[in-house]
Amino acid sequence: MKTKPLQPTEAELDVLRILWEHGPSTVRFVHERLRRHKDVGYTTTLKIMQIMTDKGMLERDTRRRQHVYATLYQESETQQMLLDRLLESAFGGSAAKLVMQALDPQRTSPAELRQIRRLLDDMEKERS
Amino acid sequence: MKTKPLQPTEAELDVLRILWEHGPSTVRFVHERLRRHKDVGYTTTLKIMQIMTDKGMLERDTRRRQHVYATLYQESETQQMLLDRLLESAFGGSAAKLVMQALDPQRTSPAELRQIRRLLDDMEKERS
DNA sequence: TTCTAACTACGAAAGCTTTCGTATTTTCAT
DNA sequence: ATGAAAATACGAAAGCTTTCGTAGTTAGAA
């Protein structure tokens, strides 16, 4: 039985995003990506990824010298977990409240709005 | 000029939720509420609220012996900030992706879905 | 007035995250 | 084979959050 995905910290999420986007990667690769947005030392990145492995967030293939790390939880799974947490901690559990805040017309494009509307239509259909 | 609302921690959010719901309150009151969900000492609650005041999240009226604390940031303001952070850190900035995750049919009631649909309708109207 | 209950102030421990320096190991080109 | 480059391992410092114990203060009842 698979346990629930753990709460990633901010630095851990930075790593996860890169792994989700690019698939299994070396520390060097992840680090280079991180450096685009953040000035941090190589051993810091290494340590974070080692800790994540200890925590059971990542697995690694140590057959080669450059260890290859992979995520143990799907992106959607983790997103759902973070969303649930925010929902509980800040929106009193109301998804509608959260969604309405998120759909700030200033920031949401018409295309995205259409996409969401389609989703609602689909859900309506499946319900009947 | 008003500065941006600060990042509340988990324990700080617990306090904020109570203050948002009930308005300016004493430590005693907040603490009693917290105790419903969490076993924690009185001085812990006090300390958290004092720290929040130092950070500029709360203000307090010390004229009476029982200090009365009030939030310095609106609920919606803080929710938006937390949402933006989640959006960036876990959803690549796509509100649509976030909303579709949030609208898990398993958990979202038909009433809430109707509410969101209405919101979309209103936004459509205002856009034209 | 005096004692007690309840409050605030303060400091510090414990736990977690983030960071990096140093040591060790491995690979590969020369 | 040997040295340089690059990787991993490890430990520990620094910073933040959370927690609580203790001390000092104030208000109000007896």
Side-chain angles (χ1 to χ4, degrees), chain A residues 58-113:
Chain A
L58 302 182
E59 65 181 354
R60 66 177 165 181
D61 180 343
T62 61
R63 283 174 303 181
R64 298 206 201 161
R65 185 159 89 105
Q66 288 200 150
H67 297 176
V68 174
Y69 290 77
T71 61
L72 278 175
Y73 295 98
Q74 306 259 323
E75 181 175 16
S76 62
E77 219 174 336
T78 305
Q79 287 172 339
Q80 189 67 57
M81 188 267 302
L82 292 169
L83 210 41
D84 287 347
R85 183 159 63 110
L86 184 64
L87 211 53
E88 282 312 310
S89 71
F91 288 86
S94 160
K97 259 173 94 181
L98 182 147
V99 166
M100 290 189 282
Q101 276 279 349
L103 295 182
D104 176 355
Q106 299 288 316
R107 263 174 290 207
T108 311
S109 72
E112 285 195 308
L113 292 179

Side-chain angles (χ1 to χ4, degrees), chain B residues 1-82:
Chain B
M1 173 185 143
K2 195 174 182 184
T3 61
K4 275 187 290 188
L6 304 168
Q7 288 280 357
T9 66
E10 205 64 33
E12 287 167 354
L13 256 181
D14 289 341
V15 171
L16 285 176
R17 275 205 307 281
I18 292 167
L19 291 177
W20 283 327
E21 183 175 0
H22 294 95
S25 310
T26 63
V27 175
R28 176 60 60 190
F29 178 82
V30 171
H31 180 64
E32 294 303 331
R33 284 280 166 161
L34 280 184
R35 285 293 294 261
R36 294 185 180 179
H37 299 291
K38 198 181 178 187
D39 189 21
V40 76
Y42 175 84
T43 56
T44 300
T45 304
L46 171 65
K47 183 67 162 185
I48 294 284
M49 294 175 76
Q50 286 172 337
I51 289 173
M52 292 172 78
T53 306
D54 290 344
K55 286 186 183 176
M57 286 177 179
L58 302 182
E59 65 182 354
R60 66 175 165 183
D61 180 344
T62 61
R63 283 174 301 183
R64 299 207 200 161
R65 186 158 90 103
Q66 290 202 148
H67 296 176
V68 174
Y69 289 76
T71 61
L72 278 174
Y73 294 97
Q74 306 262 322
E75 181 175 17
S76 61
E77 219 174 335
T78 304
Q79 287 172 336
Q80 189 68 58
M81 189 267 303
L82 292 169

Side-chain angles (χ1 to χ4, degrees), chain A:
Chain A
M1 175 186 141
K2 196 173 179 184
T3 60
K4 274 188 291 187
L6 305 168
Q7 289 279 356
T9 67
E10 205 64 32
E12 287 167 354
L13 256 181
D14 289 342
V15 171
L16 286 175
R17 273 206 309 282
I18 292 167
L19 290 178
W20 282 327
E21 184 176 359
H22 294 94
S25 310
T26 62
V27 175
R28 176 60 60 190
F29 178 83
V30 170
H31 180 63
E32 294 303 329
R33 284 279 165 160
L34 280 183
R35 285 294 293 261
R36 294 184 181 180
H37 298 293
K38 198 180 178 187
D39 190 20
V40 76
Y42 175 83
T43 55
T44 301
T45 304
L46 171 65
K47 183 68 163 185
I48 294 284
M49 292 175 75
Q50 287 173 339
I51 289 172
M52 291 171 78
T53 306
D54 290 344
K55 286 186 182 174
M57 288 177 178
L58 302 182
E59 65 181 354
R60 66 177 165 181
D61 180 343
T62 61
R63 283 174 303 181
R64 298 206 201 161
R65 185 159 89 105
Q66 288 200 150
H67 297 176
V68 174
Y69 290 77
T71 61
L72 278 175
Y73 295 98
Q74 306 259 323
E75 181 175 16
S76 62
E77 219 174 336
T78 305
Q79 287 172 339
Q80 189 67 57
M81 188 267 302
L82 292 169
L83 210 41
D84 287 347
R85 183 159 63 110
L86 184 64
L87 211 53
E88 282 312 310
S89 71
F91 288 86
S94 160
K97 259 173 94 181
L98 182 147
V99 166
M100 290 189 282
Q101 276 279 349
L103 295 182
D104 176 355
Q106 299 288 316
R107 263 174 290 207
T108 311
S109 72
E112 285 195 308
L113 292 179
R114 268 196 306 278
Q115 202 176 351
I116 292 160
R117 183 182 288 279
R118 254 199 313 277
L119 173 76
L120 287 173
D121 290 342
D122 290 350
M123 286 171 63
E124 196 96 12
K125 239 177 284 172
E126 287 194 18
R127 191 176 296 279
S128 59

